[in-house]
Amino acid sequence: MFKGYLCLVLHGHLPFVRHPEFEDFLEEDWLYEAITETYVPLISVFEGLVNDGIDFRLTMTLSPTLISMLGDPLLQERYLKHINRSIELAAKEMERTAWQPGFKDLARMYFNKFSHARDTFLKYDRNLVFAFKKFQDLGKLEIITCGATHGFFPLMDVCRASVRAQVKVAVSHYESVFGRKPGGIWLPECGFHPGHDEILKEAGIRYFFTDSHGVLHGSPRPKYGIFAPVYCKGTGVACFGRDLESSKQVWSSIEGYPGDYNYREFYRDIGFDLEYDYIKPYIHPDGVRINTGIKYYRITGPGNNKEPYVEQWARDRAASHAGNFMFNRQKQASYLNDLMGKPPIIVSPYDAELFGHWWYEGPMWLDFLFRKIACDQDEIRLITPSEYLLENPRNQVITPSLSSWGYKGYSEMWLQGSNDWIYRHLHMASQRMTELVKIFPRADGLRKRALNQALRELLLAQSSDWGFILGTGTHTSYAIRRTKEHLLRFTRLYEEIKSNSIDEGWLADIEYKDNIFSEIDYRVHQ
Amino acid sequence: MKIFQKVKEKIKKLIPAGFTFKRKKKPQSAKIPGTRPDKEMPGFQETVVADAKFSHPEPARSARFIQEELPYQYDQDKIVLQVRDPRWVHTYWELRNLTLESLKSRLGDDFHRARKVLRVYDVTNIIFNGSNANSFFDIQINDFANSWYIDTGKPGCSFCVDLGFMLPDGRFITIVRSNVVQTPLEGPSWITDEEWMIPDDLFARLYGMGFGLGRSSPVGKAWQERIKQGLFSSGISSSPVRRAVKERSFWMKVDCELIVYGATEPSAAVTVQGKPVNLRPDGTFTLRFWLPDGKQHIPVKAVSGDKLEERTITPIVNRETK
């Protein structure tokens, strides 16, 4: 008997990294790895489910920066080169491990996986957004939007014009790609600041998500806790709170599934393990060892000793973890149903890149889970937020609390000793952008181009990813560089626009480098 | 409210005996508060996973990236306040030289004896006019600081900050005033919607479930600790992401690989251990194997393009690991 709803959400995002000015750029690999390890495997899961007639529902963010990169011809060309190299390496590995039976099978596994990634990539005309769109059009997937460049909204509250620009640019970009308006938004880092729902409402967005305490600590007290959405006071935008119990089962590497000893070890890659001359053609041209994506070991145990990965064992674990997850949700739903007197909704959001990239077996687990939910039980039903709101339009009205899903639950990840210096400059740039829009409400020609580019530079500087990387304290030079670079470009544009001395050659150069959002309209920043 | 007391007690019980939350005071005047990365903190795992997206070593390429610097400040009088969490707010500011000069001429000698102060006003539920704050406190700052973290200790309250001078006679002069911010609540709201009234015990159970205290959920310890301990002990803020420090264990790893290479007529067909091998255009070939212990026979056979001639050479390799 039906007891409650389960709303799975995958948040797919990568910052905009695209460097046409360099032949080979290490940070672009973030995208290539995610394509091979996360996006293609997810698409394959969806394809398999549809082919087998298994009904499923999944809500998924594709951030505007991610959509832009997936659709970019230069990055597509470079991905093809990247995956061809990976296939070549896997082929060599099959040869090298000929006398090493366990490893030989694994080398073949990677060879097949990489070849399949290339086939899938080519099948969708090199743009995987088409694949996701296909499943949205089939009614299985609900694709939601995100901040244009994933700016962390709570720390942009002193310049709400920028929050508005982040939302409006994202919404119009979504419309141009999917031919319809987005129903919902994933607030970057799940960061909500009271009042920002007004901006969402203006943009026609009907729902968003917060972390558990965003709803639980809202005011007035939410009657059903996080197991029913609430409407924001004054705007009626719906807010769904995250369920921590189901989150933790998947996220946690200690007590969660991904830490199972039979699963693949993320940190042992042949890019670091094999003899230097052999691996050199497949690592960074500067000679720095990097991940190749070929990883032969299972987690094995808490120590440093690692044993070879056994595909079948991992597969069995993924199936049993999927069964366990479903069982727990059934129990949870049935318990909550008794308590609430109505079906609860359990909202379980995850980083999409957790699946496949960090947790290699994640897509497989998801596949098992969808199949089991469809075939093995009738207590929980998968649902998207839009469908839920249609079926359950009456909800409580509250003001959700400031919150994020970052470390410690608020803004500290992005506001600490190592990254707090950026806000002085980011806020100043926002203020100046607003000033420019006021001075030039109807620019055209060269000035309009410069104003549009100024907004692109501002948005790119605002990505929460830079603050995040600075906060973690590792590999910070790229994040510093990007923050400064976009701010400096913005400042120069601001000065040139105001003094009517726009350097067209330079403008064309940065338009070519930072080519995101070709249809941007600077006037949204107000 | 009784019910919440109960929930809190329940939370207390769930925290392992002997568990102490270290409130380490760093000796140096750390103005950035924070805690050691704590795996049980909400958001810890999200942080690790997100960081894995960016897991690459940095290539040495500084030469390619010589960059201009951002300005130190922007020639304006400004102070900005932002919320970090339910108890802490952050502020940054800048003052024009012109402003300081005019203060100097206005205050005369007092200027040099004045102390720079942040005055933090509690302006909860009022429209602040400069003199009607619920309460305020002062923080003395030095001339070099241009930002500060402030422990308000008050979740769910509104604040405003003045940057100003405290004169020797006790007068306070405001130079710039910040925006108003509101800290979030640290627990559930005490306001219950009348139309949607819900018995406290029911909500407490829901609340407990949300934090993983229900009977089907042993998880959520992070939250319990959070509620119990308060988030914010002092110390140097550091990365939650760096992987757990490896236990001290010396290690070494040795492996053997075997390279078999040769050359023949480019048109010949070559097999190694019975498997065909691709020749390079010049007729050379290279194979590389992971080498197990024991004896390996590796027959390499070449058959001429017209299939009339053949040669076989068989290296025998013995690996013995002690």
Side-chain angles (χ1 to χ4, degrees):
Chain A
M1 212 186 82
F2 173 62
K3 295 289 188 189
Y5 305 97
L6 174 61
C7 175
L8 292 171
V9 185
L10 297 187
H11 169 54
H13 163 68
L14 284 172
F16 191 71
V17 178
R18 177 183 172 277
H19 291 276
E21 69 274 31
F22 296 107
E23 185 71 18
D24 195 285
F25 202 86
L26 188 60
E27 282 78 2
E28 287 177 1
D29 283 8
W30 298 341
L31 174 69
Y32 310 147
E33 286 173 11
I35 290 177
T36 308
E37 297 176 352
T38 296
Y39 309 140
V40 166
L42 286 176
I43 289 164
S44 304
V45 168
F46 304 154
E47 283 177 343
L49 292 167
V50 169
N51 286 341
D52 297 344
I54 306 282
D55 195 24
F56 69 98
R57 291 289 182 285
L58 179 68
T59 306
M60 192 168 174
T61 326
L62 292 179
S63 75
T65 46
L66 177 58
I67 291 175
S68 302
M69 289 190 291
L70 288 174
D72 184 85
L74 174 79
L75 294 176
Q76 290 167 351
E77 191 58 39
R78 289 183 175 181
Y79 175 70
L80 207 55
K81 215 173 101 191
H82 175 93
I83 193 70
N84 281 333
R85 265 212 321 253
S86 301
I87 292 170
E88 184 186 299
L89 175 61
K92 273 197 184 174
E93 278 298 283
M94 293 201 306
E95 206 170 75
R96 189 186 66 87
T97 54
W99 296 329
Q100 224 176 348
F103 289 79
K104 192 183 167 190
D105 297 342
L106 291 174
R108 184 182 308 281
M109 175 182 90
Y110 285 112
F111 180 79
N112 292 339
K113 185 184 171 72
F114 296 156
S115 307
H116 175 72
R118 182 175 61 186
D119 294 346
T120 307
F121 180 72
L122 294 175
K123 184 168 87 184
Y124 289 101
D125 284 333
R126 300 180 173 207
N127 188 347
L128 296 182
V129 175
F130 296 143
F132 291 112
K133 181 175 186 297
K134 178 174 109 182
F135 296 105
Q136 164 147 289
D137 293 343
L138 285 172
K140 310 294 181 191
L141 202 61
E142 182 161 317
I143 301 172
I144 58 175
T145 191
C146 191
T149 60
H150 214 262
F152 183 62
F153 293 179
L155 295 177
M156 290 160 65
D157 188 56
V158 287
C159 25
R160 285 200 183 178
S162 278
V163 178
R164 185 170 289 110
Q166 284 271 347
V167 172
K168 290 201 166 166
V169 169
V171 168
S172 46
H173 185 248
Y174 183 101
E175 279 187 274
S176 71
V177 173
F178 296 107
R180 46 176 273 195
K181 278 197 167 247
I185 189 169
W186 177 265
L187 297 175
E189 316 291 2
C190 222
F192 175 72
H193 190 292
H196 292 178
D197 46 304
E198 287 162 28
I199 293 165
L200 303 183
K201 188 185 180 188
E202 269 174 46
I205 286 172
R206 297 197 9 255
Y207 67 87
F208 64 97
F209 301 88
T210 64
D211 205 337
S212 316
H213 53 302
V215 171
L216 286 174
H217 297 173
S219 183
R221 193 186 285 174
K223 175 175 177 178
Y224 294 121
I226 49 170
F227 301 107
V230 294
Y231 292 126
C232 291
K233 196 172 178 63
T235 60
V237 180
C239 166
F240 289 81
R242 170 160 86 142
D243 171 51
L244 267 180
E245 181 177 331
S246 58
S247 286
K248 204 151 184 187
Q249 264 178 335
V250 176
W251 277 106
S252 171
S253 65
I254 310 153
E255 58 209 272
Y257 305 134
D260 189 283
Y261 291 164
N262 288 301
Y263 286 153
R264 195 188 74 168
E265 169 65 53
F266 177 80
Y267 292 104
R268 280 291 295 274
D269 190 289
I270 65 167
F272 294 89
D273 280 357
L274 290 189
E275 191 266 326
Y276 189 69
D277 282 335
Y278 172 73
I279 205 69
K280 199 160 181 270
Y282 305 98
I283 56 176
H284 194 258
D286 290 1
V288 184
R289 285 180 179 268
I290 55 169
N291 289 327
T292 62
I294 299 183
K295 302 168 201 281
Y296 286 136
Y297 297 93
R298 57 188 147 99
I299 295 173
T300 315
N304 284 333
N305 175 50
K306 301 293 171 197
E307 299 293 328
Y309 181 74
V310 183
E311 225 183 329
Q312 189 56 46
W313 297 357
R315 200 179 166 75
D316 292 345
R317 294 309 290 160
S320 99
H321 283 154
N324 175 272
F325 185 85
M326 183 177 78
F327 177 79
N328 286 336
R329 296 295 78 71
Q330 286 172 283
K331 290 286 155 228
Q332 194 182 9
S334 134
Y335 173 77
L336 288 166
N337 194 311
D338 286 350
L339 206 61
M340 293 164 60
K342 71 171 204 168
I345 179 169
I346 300 164
V347 179
S348 310
Y350 308 100
D351 237 4
E353 293 77 16
L354 166 79
F355 290 80
H357 181 61
W358 167 264
W359 180 20
Y360 182 67
E361 297 78 7
M364 199 194 287
W365 174 85
L366 204 58
D367 191 28
F368 283 124
L369 180 64
F370 284 143
R371 286 169 194 269
K372 281 176 195 286
I373 287 176
C375 306
D376 292 355
Q377 57 89 45
D378 60 359
E379 289 183 322
I380 49 172
R381 209 180 105 201
L382 290 167
I383 199 159
T384 66
S386 295
E387 287 174 322
Y388 179 92
L389 290 171
L390 277 178
E391 290 180 23
N392 307 271
R394 191 163 178 271
N395 295 292
Q396 196 184 346
V397 176
I398 74 165
T399 300
S401 167
L402 173 74
S403 53
S404 87
W405 76 350
Y407 188 55
K408 295 185 184 176
Y410 297 93
S411 299
E412 189 175 337
M413 189 68 224
W414 300 273
L415 185 65
Q416 49 178 300
S418 53
N419 54 20
D420 55 15
W421 57 272
I422 65 178
Y423 299 101
R424 177 187 308 274
H425 305 288
L426 289 172
H427 293 162
M428 188 64 200
S430 291
Q431 190 182 316
R432 285 174 164 176
M433 190 71 224
T434 305
E435 178 195 335
L436 288 175
V437 175
K438 260 191 204 135
I439 304 176
F440 305 105
R442 275 176 296 277
D444 52 18
L446 185 60
R447 181 178 287 152
K448 184 177 171 186
R449 268 174 62 195
L451 283 159
N452 285 338
Q453 191 61 27
L455 182 54
R456 282 187 196 104
E457 300 297 340
L458 173 60
L459 291 172
L460 287 169
Q462 286 169 340
S463 290
S464 70
D465 307 273
W466 315 140
F468 175 86
I469 295 172
L470 292 174
T472 65
T474 44
H475 321 326
T476 53
S477 73
Y478 183 66
I480 293 173
R481 174 191 172 206
R482 288 292 300 271
T483 303
K484 288 186 179 172
E485 191 167 77
H486 296 302
L487 282 167
L488 287 164
R489 285 175 187 167
F490 173 86
T491 306
R492 180 165 163 192
L493 283 164
Y494 167 80
E495 279 159 4
E496 290 187 359
I497 292 165
K498 278 190 77 174
S499 62
N500 200 16
S501 59
I502 298 163
D503 177 347
E504 191 177 356
W506 175 72
L507 174 61
D509 181 52
I510 58 172
E511 282 175 333
Y512 155 77
K513 285 175 181 158
D514 298 330
N515 71 343
I516 194 169
F517 306 136
S518 56
E519 302 298 315
I520 204 168
D521 179 353
Y522 70 95
R523 287 168 302 184
V524 296
H525 197 283
Q526 51 178 306
Chain B
M1 280 296 100
K2 265 185 191 163
I3 275 303
F4 281 99
Q5 212 46 49
K6 276 189 194 160
V7 172
K8 279 186 182 167
E9 278 163 18
K10 201 170 172 185
I11 291 164
K12 265 185 208 164
K13 281 182 205 153
L14 282 163
I15 292 165
F19 178 89
T20 51
F21 200 77
K22 278 181 193 140
R23 280 185 159 264
K24 243 192 199 165
K25 279 251 187 275
K26 295 276 173 178
Q28 70 269 42
S29 60
K31 79 172 177 178
I32 309 124
T35 55
R36 225 176 261 252
D38 180 352
K39 286 187 179 173
E40 294 295 304
M41 269 295 171
F44 174 79
Q45 199 58 31
E46 287 80 347
T47 309
V48 174
V49 172
D51 190 50
K53 285 196 219 174
F54 312 127
S55 62
H56 275 306
E58 289 181 285
R61 58 180 174 197
S62 46
R64 276 149 69 186
F65 296 141
I66 295 167
Q67 199 168 41
E68 280 175 73
E69 275 306 313
L70 295 170
Y72 178 70
Q73 56 179 40
Y74 292 91
D75 196 32
Q76 52 179 354
D77 296 324
K78 182 180 180 182
I79 178 166
V80 173
L81 193 57
Q82 307 199 86
V83 177
R84 198 193 75 175
D85 56 47
R87 287 162 186 272
W88 290 79
V89 294
H90 173 249
T91 177
Y92 68 85
W93 61 85
E94 67 169 82
L95 294 175
R96 285 178 301 171
N97 281 333
L98 204 68
T99 308
L100 288 172
E101 287 305 318
S102 74
L103 272 166
K104 206 172 185 175
S105 57
R106 208 177 101 199
L107 298 174
D109 279 353
D110 277 352
F111 181 84
H112 296 287
R113 282 180 289 164
R115 291 173 293 133
K116 228 189 221 174
V117 159
L118 291 173
R119 177 158 288 190
V120 184
Y121 302 97
D122 177 341
V123 296
T124 310
N125 294 328
I126 58 167
I127 296 165
F128 185 49
N129 62 14
S131 61
N132 62 341
N134 301 320
S135 64
F136 68 84
F137 61 91
D138 291 344
I139 299 168
Q140 195 183 327
I141 53 177
N142 61 51
D143 277 344
F144 308 105
N146 63 1
S147 70
W148 210 267
Y149 288 89
I150 301 167
D151 182 2
T152 70
K154 285 185 181 174
C157 292
S158 301
F159 297 94
C160 175
V161 174
D162 278 358
L163 172 64
F165 279 130
M166 181 67 81
L167 302 182
D169 62 5
R171 270 185 304 146
F172 177 75
I173 297 176
T174 298
I175 310 172
V176 275
R177 173 161 297 163
S178 80
N179 53 310
V180 174
V181 298
Q182 189 180 3
T183 52
L185 292 175
E186 212 176 15
S189 168
W190 54 90
I191 303 169
T192 49
D193 186 67
E194 284 179 21
E195 231 175 309
W196 285 77
M197 191 62 194
I198 177 170
D200 267 352
D201 59 340
L202 192 59
F203 178 74
R205 283 158 82 190
L206 280 167
Y207 181 75
M209 277 294 284
F211 283 165
L213 296 174
R215 52 167 196 233
S216 77
S217 54
V219 295
K221 215 168 75 194
W223 282 99
Q224 298 147 19
E225 272 155 27
R226 228 185 79 147
I227 297 162
K228 176 71 174 38
Q229 308 292 348
L231 282 177
F232 315 105
S233 68
S234 52
I236 297 281
S237 124
S238 61
S239 150
V241 176
R242 222 159 283 148
R243 268 194 292 154
V245 186
K246 273 184 191 156
E247 9 16 311
R248 221 188 96 81
S249 55
F250 183 69
W251 60 281
M252 181 172 87
K253 201 176 69 177
V254 174
D255 235 321
C256 285
E257 293 190 347
L258 176 70
I259 294 174
V260 178
Y261 65 98
T264 176
E265 291 292 330
S267 62
V270 174
T271 60
V272 174
Q273 287 189 319
K275 283 183 200 143
V277 169
N278 288 332
L279 297 185
R280 298 190 191 95
D282 63 355
T284 61
F285 60 92
T286 306
L287 292 172
R288 180 167 181 139
F289 301 96
W290 174 80
L291 186 64
D293 272 350
K295 201 179 257 185
Q296 301 293 334
H297 294 256
I298 309 152
V300 183
K301 183 167 137 189
V303 181
S304 64
D306 54 14
K307 297 195 168 52
L308 294 177
E309 280 186 86
E310 65 170 69
R311 296 275 184 289
T312 300
I313 299 171
T314 306
I316 297 170
V317 183
N318 194 27
R319 173 177 167 186
E320 199 184 336
T321 309
K322 283 180 180 167

